[in-house]
Amino acid sequence: MAEKPAESNGNIFRCATFNILAPCYNRLRGWWSAWESSKPNLYMRRSQSIIDMLKEQPHLDAICLQEFWFNHDVEDLFESKLGDKYRILKLKRQGYKMDGLAILLHRSASLLGVQSFNFDDYGNRVALLLHIALPDQDKQVILATTHISYCHNILDEYVRMSQVKKVVSGIDKFLKQKELHSIPVILTGDFNSPETNPVYQFVKGSGFASSYKVVNGREAGVTHKDHRGRELSVDYIFYRNSGSCAISPKSSIMLPQQYNDQVWPEEFTISDHRMIMTEFDMGKSE
């Protein structure tokens, strides 16, 4: 089992990605067939458990959350419990959807820019990008997160490819507009795609590598148990280097760390996804 990382030393960037299962999508088991969003005592308790898990980590520079629920009780809870340590940037999905993305950025880092992407499709999906300077101001990184649609049918495969192409092209356009020619990019999220899927392969073909696979020699076996009971690997922290500035993943683990990554731990109930954390060395190449 890998050791937990120590406090950041200024040359390290630690980020995590975690789909926290919005209560509006969490159907409760039992004869009543209710959604968790109708039970404040349940969703507030689970939200607190998620926050406790985040706070247990020794140091995270950024935490990318998917299915963040835009409910005032939950938003206020995250702000009251984590707002002193993190700047919380959020992006709600379009239309009638009540969930979206949130990036918790450690207040020791500087926020140089923010860009949101609306995919304008029936999935109402979005992506959120941050331009970040680390505490010593000498190193910068682009951090983006997204949540690609689940594949219910053959049409969804076309929509999903359109979504991931918009993410990558949006990142490239931002870099070009800001003249950021030598800055690394970290792309995280729930891609709803195993390694063999075209969505994953497109990200890989766009110059990105999966940090978990680079460190461990393979992808995690199971990061998600879906509504059909299937155990899948769909959550990733990708990275891409550019020009003379190169980052490299030194460790990449799935949390909680006491469970292995080959089967879904039934005792883990705070989400239907597990969190992935990667520690990057932000050093420059010659």
Side-chain angles (χ1 to χ4, degrees):
M1 183 178 291
E3 295 181 359
K4 288 186 177 181
E7 287 294 316
S8 180
N9 63 12
N11 199 48
I12 295 296
F13 183 78
R14 298 188 183 95
C15 67
T17 187
F18 192 16
N19 182 323
I20 57 176
L21 179 56
C24 55
Y25 304 134
N26 187 18
R27 186 182 292 278
L28 302 175
R29 297 176 181 176
W31 60 269
W32 54 85
S33 188
W35 297 103
E36 186 190 24
S37 55
S38 67
K39 308 287 184 180
N41 61 317
L42 296 183
Y43 69 67
M44 290 298 283
R45 185 185 313 148
R46 186 167 67 85
S47 295
Q48 182 61 60
S49 295
I50 291 168
I51 289 169
D52 290 341
M53 180 177 169
L54 299 181
K55 293 176 71 173
E56 286 172 2
Q57 309 313 313
H59 182 93
L60 287 171
D61 296 287
I63 306 168
C64 300
L65 302 178
Q66 302 85 44
E67 289 197 25
F68 184 88
W69 194 35
F70 284 78
N71 169 277
H72 66 90
D73 288 344
V74 172
E75 291 185 87
D76 290 347
L77 182 66
F78 270 79
E79 192 64 48
S80 65
K81 299 296 184 179
L82 296 170
D84 60 334
K85 186 175 182 180
Y86 293 100
R87 181 187 288 112
I88 304 177
L89 300 108
K90 295 172 283 188
L91 178 62
K92 185 176 177 291
R93 289 169 68 186
Q94 299 170 284
Y96 61 90
K97 299 295 186 180
M98 293 304 297
D99 72 303
L101 307 171
I103 299 180
L104 283 58
L105 180 64
H106 199 280
R107 291 191 177 275
S108 63
S110 298
L111 183 61
L112 304 181
V114 181
Q115 180 69 57
S116 61
F117 305 107
N118 295 314
F119 298 162
D120 298 317
D121 57 31
Y122 70 77
N124 295 300
R125 298 293 176 170
V126 293
L128 180 61
L129 176 153
L130 306 184
H131 179 196
I132 301 166
L134 301 194
D136 63 9
Q137 300 293 315
D138 181 48
K139 297 179 176 65
Q140 298 179 16
V141 66
I142 296 295
L143 175 66
T145 193
T146 193
H147 184 185
I148 300 300
S149 291
Y150 185 88
C151 186
H152 294 94
N153 52 56
I154 189 66
L155 177 61
D156 284 340
E157 282 291 8
Y158 292 99
V159 174
R160 286 155 37 79
M161 280 300 296
S162 173
Q163 291 170 351
V164 76
K165 288 178 179 179
K166 288 176 181 178
V167 174
V168 173
S169 65
I171 292 171
D172 292 340
K173 183 178 180 180
F174 182 87
L175 294 173
K176 184 177 181 180
Q177 287 179 337
K178 303 298 182 180
E179 298 184 346
L180 300 171
H181 304 300
S182 297
I183 187 168
V185 177
I186 298 172
L187 173 58
T188 79
D190 173 5
F191 290 80
N192 268 315
S193 307
E195 186 176 3
T196 55
N197 188 270
V199 166
Y200 181 106
Q201 293 300 316
F202 178 82
V203 177
K204 180 181 177 182
S206 300
F208 287 88
S210 165
S211 59
Y212 193 97
K213 184 174 183 179
V214 169
V215 171
N216 299 287
R218 58 173 177 79
E219 292 294 0
V222 177
T223 70
H224 172 45
K225 186 173 183 179
D226 73 7
H227 59 285
R228 298 174 179 173
R230 297 185 301 172
E231 299 184 355
L232 307 165
S233 179
V234 299
D235 302 272
Y236 307 101
I237 299 177
F238 295 107
Y239 71 101
R240 184 181 72 186
N241 287 314
S242 177
S244 62
C245 185
I247 64 175
S248 58
K250 294 303 182 184
S251 68
S252 189
I253 59 176
M254 191 156 57
L255 299 167
Q257 206 174 348
Q258 65 263 33
Y259 307 121
N260 71 52
D261 68 1
Q262 294 302 301
V263 295
W264 181 259
E266 294 300 331
E267 58 270 44
F268 181 69
T269 59
I270 67 173
S271 179
D272 57 353
H273 290 253
R274 289 175 65 187
M275 181 164 68
I276 294 179
M277 190 281 292
T278 295
E279 177 182 286
F280 288 96
D281 185 330
M282 301 298 291
K284 291 185 177 180
S285 62
E286 296 297 331

